[in-house]
Amino acid sequence: MATLTNNLLFKSPVSLFPHPRLLPLLSYASTLPFLPKISSSRISSTPNYNRTPLIPRATAAPGAKKAEKKERVQRVHSIQEFDSALESAKERLVVVEYAASDSEESSQIYPFMVELSRSCSDVEFILVMGDESAQTKELLKREKVENVPHFSFYKSREKIHEEEGIGPDMLVGDVLYYGDSHSAVEQLHSVEDVQKLIEDHKVDHKLIVLDVGLKHCGPCVKVYPTVVKLSRQMDSVVFARMNGDENESCMQFLRDMEVVQVPTFLFIRDGNIEGRYVGSGKGELIGEILRYQGVRVTY
C-alpha cells in the first residue's frame, strides 16, 4: 500500500459542508400548465412575441441530417415511453430536456443538446414537450418539474442531477461531469482505487492530478471540462477524479486528506502529496499543474 505524505497548501473557495445546492433560475423559466389557476393549454411566462416554437426545430421535415437529430434525441410522449427509455439506457447517462412549444428559452437551448448528442455517443438524450398532451403533463408532474427548460440527468433509472435555466456551457459541463466515461480522466471510487493508482505510477514517476469534488457541486462541474481537455493533451500527467459523496470510502479519503473545500486538486508524485490547489479557476489550475511539472510560472 502507498502512503500519502501530506504537505498541503491551503486556500479558500467553496465550503464542503453543507453540500452545495443548485437554486432554480426562475426568472428564465416558464410556469407549467398543471399548476393552480394556470391554463392547461400552454406553458408560458413571457409575452408571445414573434417567437419560433420549439417543435419545428425538434421535428423538421424528413432528410438525412434531420433523421440524425431524431435518432440521437429521442422524443417521448408518455410515462410508459419515458420509463422504457430509461430502462433501455441501463447504466448509461440519460439527459432529459423538459421543454414547451412556446418557451423561447427551450428553443434556444435545444440545438446545443442536438449537437451534444452527435458527439457524445455514450449518452442518451431525450426530449419531453410538457404542453404536448395530458400524458406529458402527467410525466412532468411525476418528475416534479415545475419550470421549463428543465434538464434532468439519470443513471440506472435514478435521477442524479437536475438544473433549470442553464446555458450551453453549463449543459456541456454537466454532460461531461456526469457522463464522460471515455476521457483520459480515471474515475476513482474508493481509497483502494487511489492507492492502486499511486502504485501504478511509482515506476514512471508521473505527476497525478486528483480532482476531488462532490456530485452536485457547481464549481466542480464548471472546471471539469478543462480537466478533461488537459487529460487529452498532457501525456506526462495522470488525471483522476473522485466524488467525496459517492460512498463512505470516498468521504473517509476526504477526511484523511483534510479536504474541507471543493473542488480540491491534489498533486501527487511517488506516493507523496506535493501540494494542492483549491478552486475552479482554469488558468490557475493550468499554472499549478505546470509548476509541479517543473515549469516556471509567473502570475
Side-chain angles (χ1 to χ4, degrees):
M1 277 190 192
T3 301
L4 299 181
T5 302
N6 201 351
N7 300 318
L8 303 179
L9 307 177
F10 287 91
K11 297 185 181 180
S12 60
V14 181
S15 175
L16 176 60
F17 304 105
H19 292 182
R21 295 181 181 274
L22 297 174
L23 299 177
L25 305 180
L26 300 179
S27 60
Y28 291 97
S30 303
T31 304
L32 284 180
F34 51 74
L35 297 180
K37 299 181 180 179
I38 300 295
S39 169
S40 61
S41 63
R42 56 196 296 268
I43 302 175
S44 179
S45 65
T46 55
N48 187 12
Y49 302 114
N50 294 322
R51 294 186 287 182
T52 304
L54 177 63
I55 291 179
R57 298 190 185 185
T59 57
K65 292 185 178 179
K66 304 303 179 183
E68 182 180 4
K69 285 186 181 181
K70 287 184 179 180
E71 181 183 349
R72 291 297 299 130
V73 180
Q74 181 181 355
R75 182 89 170 267
V76 301
H77 310 278
S78 67
I79 290 177
Q80 292 74 19
E81 288 184 8
F82 181 82
D83 290 343
S84 176
L86 292 188
E87 183 71 30
S88 299
K90 298 181 180 179
E91 296 181 358
R92 294 191 301 276
L93 177 69
V94 179
V95 179
V96 181
E97 180 188 358
Y98 299 97
S101 59
D102 66 346
S103 167
E104 183 176 7
E105 292 80 12
S106 296
S107 297
Q108 291 172 347
I109 194 68
Y110 179 70
F112 294 98
M113 188 172 78
V114 171
E115 291 305 313
L116 270 177
S117 73
R118 293 171 175 169
S119 59
C120 300
S121 58
D122 59 336
V123 179
E124 301 298 324
F125 293 83
I126 292 175
L127 174 67
V128 179
M129 300 301 296
D131 57 350
E132 178 183 87
S133 66
Q135 289 181 311
T136 57
K137 291 172 189 173
E138 189 63 29
L139 172 57
L140 269 66
K141 187 175 182 179
R142 189 192 75 171
E143 296 300 309
K144 299 180 181 179
V145 176
E146 297 182 354
N147 302 283
V148 297
H150 182 112
F151 286 89
S152 292
F153 300 77
Y154 301 81
K155 271 189 177 179
S156 302
R157 300 190 64 178
E158 177 187 356
K159 186 186 294 183
I160 59 173
H161 182 64
E162 57 186 334
E163 293 204 63
E164 294 175 0
I166 61 174
D169 290 344
M170 181 62 76
L171 178 60
V172 171
D174 283 342
V175 171
L176 284 177
Y177 193 75
Y178 293 104
D180 185 43
S181 60
H182 57 270
S183 75
V185 181
E186 299 202 34
Q187 309 298 315
L188 307 181
H189 308 284
S190 66
V191 173
E192 289 74 22
D193 286 350
V194 178
Q195 293 168 341
K196 183 179 184 304
L197 181 68
I198 292 173
E199 289 292 342
D200 290 346
H201 292 285
K202 274 189 172 181
V203 176
D204 58 26
H205 307 291
K206 283 187 175 182
L207 176 69
I208 299 172
V209 177
L210 175 52
D211 175 7
V212 181
L214 296 173
K215 292 179 181 178
H216 305 295
C217 165
C220 300
V221 175
K222 174 186 174 184
V223 75
Y224 190 64
T226 298
V227 176
V228 172
K229 185 175 182 179
L230 291 174
S231 73
R232 294 167 177 167
Q233 295 176 341
M234 303 181 74
D235 295 335
S236 60
V237 179
V238 177
F239 289 85
R241 177 178 69 158
M242 172 185 282
N243 282 324
D245 53 350
E246 180 175 341
N247 55 52
E248 179 55 32
S249 179
C250 294
M251 189 57 71
Q252 185 59 50
F253 176 77
L254 267 66
R255 288 192 289 263
D256 292 343
M257 296 299 103
E258 301 178 17
V259 173
V260 294
Q261 298 165 329
V262 290
T264 288
F265 293 86
L266 301 177
F267 302 101
I268 307 169
R269 197 194 306 268
D270 299 331
N272 299 320
I273 296 183
E274 298 184 348
R276 65 168 61 184
Y277 166 68
V278 184
S280 58
K282 300 175 183 178
E284 292 178 357
L285 174 60
I286 294 171
E288 289 294 293
I289 294 173
L290 293 175
R291 185 161 70 88
Y292 286 103
Q293 280 291 82
V295 178
R296 185 176 180 181
V297 179
T298 57
Y299 294 99

